[in-house]
């Protein structure tokens, strides 16, 4: 990373500890933010192609929480199991076992693809007192307003999987394509924040173990959505949605909220699919109110 975070001062105040745990036959790397004696622990699941750094900006505004942020298997510093298919069932089982190993009974949070993984796991029996979904994927990606772009992405990932390994991996890690993705998602007019977003994607968006893991995760991300699991989730759920999200329109998010037995929806204006980068303070405020946590004094 070469562009400093706009939230660097807050992040520096957070204690951070890196750990590893074996889950389903491979080591999962995870980072624990915040005080060890915090009253509330949250497990935060990042989105597609990302890793744990992506949610740090939100955590910077929640210093009173203990947050455990793993890298998904096959991304960042978490190893995959060779030959295993990483479909949604596998990621759901991984999250359930990870939570049991490091923080049973923690609040579960998921962003984007992480919202699908978290919802699937909770619907399948992962015990949590509350569920938080940031930029939840509320409808099939191929049916959204950017369905044409999603189909192009399908072709891109298919080509990356079919080319000879060296060429295919190079295509999937191509910096120009990553930058185009980043530009398409960013909505802010703040130049510093835009530079930070692009640098985050340049630095972390290609840290996948191999193209097979990336292909599996992509297929899982476009073949599933939170609406499949909403009715089966019986814990209080918070949806933090963007009014300019190109992946799941706000009208779909409003309808999605009605499918849960107990859900509340917080809408954030003038932002798209990058709430965690562009409006982290607003997201943190919604989370704090949902968890009924008093505002912490600046340290």
């Amino acid at each position: 990373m070469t562009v400093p975070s706009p939230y660097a001062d807050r992040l520096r105040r957070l204690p951070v500890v890196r750990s590893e745990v074996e889950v389903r036959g491979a080591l999962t790397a995870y980072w624990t933010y915040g005080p060890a004696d915090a009253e509330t622990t949250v497990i935060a699941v990042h989105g597609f192609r990302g890793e744990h750094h992506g949610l740090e900006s939100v955590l910077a505004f929640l210093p009173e929480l203990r947050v455990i942020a793993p890298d998904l298997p096959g991304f960042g510093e978490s190893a995959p199991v060779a030959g295993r298919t990483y479909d949604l069932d596998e990621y759901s089982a991984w999250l359930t076992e990870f939570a049991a190993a490091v923080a049973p009974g923690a609040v579960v949070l998921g962003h984007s693809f992480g919202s699908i993984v978290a919802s699937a796991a909770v619907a399948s029996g992962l015990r949590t007192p509350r569920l938080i979904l940031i930029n939840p994927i509320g409808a099939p990606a191929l049916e959204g307003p950017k369905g044409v772009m999603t189909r192009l992405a399908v072709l891109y990932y298919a080509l990356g999987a079919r080319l000879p390994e060296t060429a295919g991996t190079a295509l999937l890690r191509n910096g120009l394509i990553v930058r185009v993705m980043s530009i398409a998602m960013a909505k802010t007019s703040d130049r510093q924040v835009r530079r930070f977003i692009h640098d985050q994607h340049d630095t972390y968006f290609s840290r996948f173990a191999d193209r097979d893991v990336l292909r599996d995760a992509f297929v899982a991300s476009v073949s599933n959505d939170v609406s499949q699991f909403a009715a089966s989730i019986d814990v209080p759920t918070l949806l933090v949605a963007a009014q300019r999200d190109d992946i799941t329109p706000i009208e779909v998010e409003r309808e999605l909220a009605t499918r849960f037995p107990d859900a509340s929806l917080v809408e954030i204006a003038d932002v798209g699919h990058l709430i965690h980068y562009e409006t982290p303070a607003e997201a943190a405020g919604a989370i704090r109110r949902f968890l009924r946590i008093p505002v912490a004094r600046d340290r």
Side-chain angles (χ1 to χ4, degrees):
M1 186 174 69
T2 58
V3 177
S5 167
Y7 320 106
D9 287 344
R10 287 179 171 271
L11 281 170
R12 277 192 289 267
R13 302 176 201 169
L14 284 181
V16 184
V17 177
R18 183 192 183 281
S19 306
E20 292 182 345
V21 63
E22 184 171 333
V23 182
R24 298 183 66 76
L27 288 178
T28 291
Y30 66 96
W31 288 256
T32 303
Y33 297 79
D37 60 351
E39 292 185 8
T40 302
T41 296
V42 175
I43 294 175
V45 186
H46 64 77
F48 174 65
R49 283 194 72 148
E51 39 112 283
H52 73 280
H53 284 99
L55 292 167
E56 280 189 334
S57 298
V58 177
L59 308 187
F61 290 90
L62 293 167
E64 63 274 44
L65 292 182
R66 174 175 176 253
V67 180
I68 297 172
D71 285 346
L72 284 169
F75 294 88
E77 298 181 29
S78 290
V81 175
R84 178 173 294 172
T85 298
Y86 279 88
D87 55 16
L88 184 59
D89 286 342
E90 178 59 33
Y91 278 119
S92 173
W94 163 82
L95 178 57
T96 299
E97 293 189 18
F98 174 78
V102 303
V107 173
V108 175
L109 179 154
H111 170 257
S112 190
F113 177 53
S115 75
I116 304 175
V117 174
S119 296
V122 173
S124 297
L126 171 58
R127 296 184 65 83
T128 181
R130 289 172 181 259
L131 176 64
I132 300 167
L133 307 176
I134 301 176
N135 287 119
I137 307 300
L142 292 173
E143 298 177 8
K146 298 294 184 179
V148 173
M149 294 299 294
T150 303
R151 289 179 175 84
L152 289 175
V154 170
L155 294 175
Y156 166 66
Y157 286 103
L159 181 60
R162 291 172 184 168
L163 286 172
E165 185 172 357
T166 300
T169 301
L171 174 66
L172 293 170
R173 289 195 167 112
N174 183 276
L176 178 60
I177 294 174
V178 170
R179 178 56 61 91
V180 169
M181 294 179 189
S182 187
I183 291 171
M185 288 189 289
K187 302 299 183 185
T188 181
S189 59
D190 185 310
R191 292 184 179 181
Q192 180 188 8
V193 175
R194 288 186 74 88
R195 285 195 297 269
F196 170 64
I197 290 169
H198 298 331
D199 186 68
Q200 287 278 294
H201 289 148
D202 291 347
T203 303
Y204 301 119
F205 230 46
S206 295
R207 296 185 67 199
F208 51 88
D210 56 56
R211 63 179 182 168
D212 293 333
V213 165
L214 185 65
R215 178 202 59 221
D216 288 351
F218 175 73
V219 171
S221 72
V222 299
S223 303
N224 301 277
D225 64 87
V226 174
S227 69
Q228 298 168 236
F229 311 104
S232 300
I233 295 173
D234 60 0
V235 299
T237 301
L238 170 67
L239 284 67
V240 183
Q243 292 184 349
R244 297 178 62 193
D245 196 334
D246 294 324
I247 295 178
T248 302
I250 193 61
E251 294 81 10
V252 175
E253 301 285 30
R254 292 166 182 161
E255 195 277 333
L256 174 64
T258 68
R259 299 195 181 196
F260 290 83
D262 182 3
S264 55
L265 171 65
V266 172
E267 299 181 15
I268 301 181
D270 301 321
V271 66
H273 201 65
L274 303 181
I275 282 175
H276 56 309
Y277 287 139
E278 297 187 27
T279 57
E282 290 86 342
I287 292 168
R288 180 178 288 110
R289 292 189 297 273
F290 178 65
L291 297 179
R292 302 187 180 97
I293 298 170
V295 177
R297 295 180 179 178
D298 287 338
R299 300 178 181 181

